[in-house]
Amino acid sequence: MVTKRILKIALAATYLFCISGVVSQDIPSLKELFKNDFLIGAALNISQITEKDPVEDALIRRQFNSVTPENIMKAEHMQPRWNEYNFEPSDQLVAYARKNNMKVNGHALIWHSQLPPFMRQMKDKDSVRSFFVNHINTIAARYDGKIDSWDVVNEALEEDGTLRKSIFWEKLGEDYIVEAFRLAQKAAPNTKLYYNDYNIEQPKKRAGAIAIIKKIQAAGVRIDGVGIQGHWRSYDMPLKNIEESVKEFAALGVEVMFTELDLGVLPNPWDGNSAELSKTSEGSARMNPYTAGLPDSVAQTQAKAYADLFKLFLKYRQYITRITFWGVGDGHSWLNGWPIRGRTNYPLLFDRQLQPKPAFFSVVATGK
Ligand code: 9MR
């Protein structure tokens, strides 16, 4: 009985060792390939940070030299109750990154989403101000010198380039962004400070981001960089806008980063009238067409999109400091659940078994 169990464990260990051997040693390493160009990061969840899956851990250690916590440093996790902080997961992240020689980008200090429950119905200005000041001071100071950078403010813009009417905008006024950076600069003098948002490659929203950066600079406050999130679709890449954005942001003297890269392959319910269709069974099949696997032609389109993007990143490598993927393998991507729940999406470089996809090899080819 005992011998049988030992045999089973040994077999499992050998299997794991073999797989991790294949994954970790037999394919090129992105962080090595691009080491003179930019950091290569991944958003990690708590089970990845705590090394629950040795195969995945070997892959992460081999491929990435930068980590962004996908959720654990958001306000609802860091300060779940008024003035009660939960530092444990973030401390684990810092230890994990130090052990593996990875940079850490803290995500995010001020964001309208994933706020603690006590914030959601807050009416009174003084309470919002007190949360804002204490949250930034406490967390930025604690991790100064332990992490490398912060997304100080995340997603403060509407699509038309005006400021989002968030609780912070409403209660603190439009200067809250400059104030957030001022507080972060004081509390974390050794940490880089970034503004991060999606769709800011699009002209109107980009103009809004430029206005934010200029306003912070004009106030004499430090902002070190801007993160273009990069949630795009393989069949619809805004390459020209991306290139213009890199140039325009770089001209402001800040670092440019691609911070949440993933290229979905599924239809977008907001195109045409397909949103309505998604509610019918015929519509659901149309909106979720690849449940049986990623067709070769779609994988090739995605590989080309990733290659085009990395060629552009390399062209502007003097301005671009980091490329972070929003996840590791397709199985855990947020895009399986958004904007429609329960779909099978394929946005990343590694598949559901953590094997490299054609997109991985097309990215590798640009780096050679
Ligand atoms: O990937 C994150 C997912 O696990 C969370 O449920 C979601 C909650 O809003 O946030 C996702 O990450 C977001 C990131 O923090 C900010 N930019 C958009 C990302 C995708 O929604």
Side-chain angles (χ1 to χ4, degrees), residues 19-27 55 59 62-63 354-355:
I19 306 254
S20 65
V22 169
V23 170
S24 65
Q25 278 147 42
D26 297 350
I27 59 169
V55 176
L59 174 68
R62 175 147 171 87
Q63 296 296 334
L354 300 176
Q355 295 301 310

Side-chain angles (χ1 to χ4, degrees), residues 56-87:
E56 188 167 33
D57 191 48
L59 174 68
I60 293 168
R61 281 188 282 114
R62 175 147 171 87
Q63 296 296 334
F64 304 106
N65 50 18
S66 172
V67 37
T68 300
E70 185 174 2
N71 285 301
I72 59 167
M73 285 188 122
K74 293 172 179 174
E76 70 176 354
H77 298 288
M78 297 263 15
Q79 193 185 164
R81 281 164 299 279
W82 181 255
N83 219 15
E84 268 180 41
Y85 293 87
N86 176 18
F87 297 123

Side-chain angles (χ1 to χ4, degrees), residues 70-71 74 107 111 114 154-155 229 231 260 326 334:
E70 185 174 2
N71 285 301
K74 293 172 179 174
H107 174 83
W111 187 28
Q114 288 182 279
N154 193 41
E155 301 176 2
Q229 292 187 2
H231 298 294
E260 304 188 12
W326 206 244
W334 73 290

Side-chain angles (χ1 to χ4, degrees), residues 2-234:
V2 176
T3 338
K4 245 188 175 174
R5 259 179 79 189
I6 292 174
L7 201 68
K8 257 191 181 165
I9 293 170
L11 271 174
T14 317
Y15 174 66
L16 282 180
F17 179 79
C18 291
I19 306 254
S20 65
V22 169
V23 170
S24 65
Q25 278 147 42
D26 297 350
I27 59 169
S29 155
L30 297 176
K31 71 174 180 191
E32 282 301 317
L33 263 177
F34 297 106
K35 67 167 183 257
N36 297 321
D37 306 312
F38 23 69
L39 294 167
I40 299 288
L44 298 187
N45 59 37
I46 190 67
S47 57
Q48 292 162 328
I49 290 160
T50 49
E51 304 165 43
K52 290 285 182 293
D53 175 349
V55 176
E56 188 167 33
D57 191 48
L59 174 68
I60 293 168
R61 281 188 282 114
R62 175 147 171 87
Q63 296 296 334
F64 304 106
N65 50 18
S66 172
V67 37
T68 300
E70 185 174 2
N71 285 301
I72 59 167
M73 285 188 122
K74 293 172 179 174
E76 70 176 354
H77 298 288
M78 297 263 15
Q79 193 185 164
R81 281 164 299 279
W82 181 255
N83 219 15
E84 268 180 41
Y85 293 87
N86 176 18
F87 297 123
E88 203 190 328
S90 306
D91 289 351
Q92 286 175 313
L93 166 69
V94 169
Y96 174 80
R98 183 171 299 163
K99 183 171 93 179
N100 293 313
N101 225 348
M102 293 168 172
K103 306 266 187 208
V104 177
N105 178 57
H107 174 83
L109 285 172
I110 294 298
W111 187 28
H112 64 278
S113 187
Q114 288 182 279
L115 284 171
F118 67 83
M119 277 291 292
R120 286 188 202 135
Q121 302 306 324
M122 205 177 266
K123 296 269 180 298
D124 151 50
K125 281 186 188 168
D126 290 341
S127 306
V128 175
R129 173 160 301 282
S130 140
F131 167 83
F132 179 84
V133 173
N134 292 338
H135 191 79
I136 296 176
N137 281 345
T138 308
I139 296 169
R142 180 181 173 98
Y143 291 101
D144 192 39
K146 296 193 171 136
I147 68 171
D148 299 274
S149 54
W150 271 113
D151 292 332
V152 177
V153 175
N154 193 41
E155 301 176 2
L157 288 163
E158 301 282 0
E159 297 307 297
D160 66 0
T162 60
L163 290 183
R164 187 191 285 273
K165 311 301 174 271
S166 70
I167 184 168
F168 302 110
W169 177 88
E170 207 182 291
K171 303 293 181 197
L172 308 178
E174 61 178 35
D175 287 343
Y176 85 89
I177 302 178
V178 175
E179 283 317 304
F181 277 82
R182 199 192 300 280
L183 289 165
Q185 171 176 8
K186 191 143 184 271
N190 305 299
T191 311
K192 293 212 171 173
L193 308 178
Y194 303 143
Y195 177 72
N196 190 54
D197 210 334
Y198 59 88
N199 287 350
I200 50 171
E201 74 283 352
Q202 298 297 327
K204 283 187 188 153
K205 205 165 177 181
R206 186 200 313 160
I210 290 172
I212 287 177
I213 296 167
K214 284 188 167 165
K215 188 169 173 179
I216 296 169
Q217 292 173 328
V221 173
R222 177 164 64 88
I223 172 165
D224 299 291
V226 57
I228 302 171
Q229 292 187 2
H231 298 294
W232 295 306
R233 285 173 298 279
S234 301

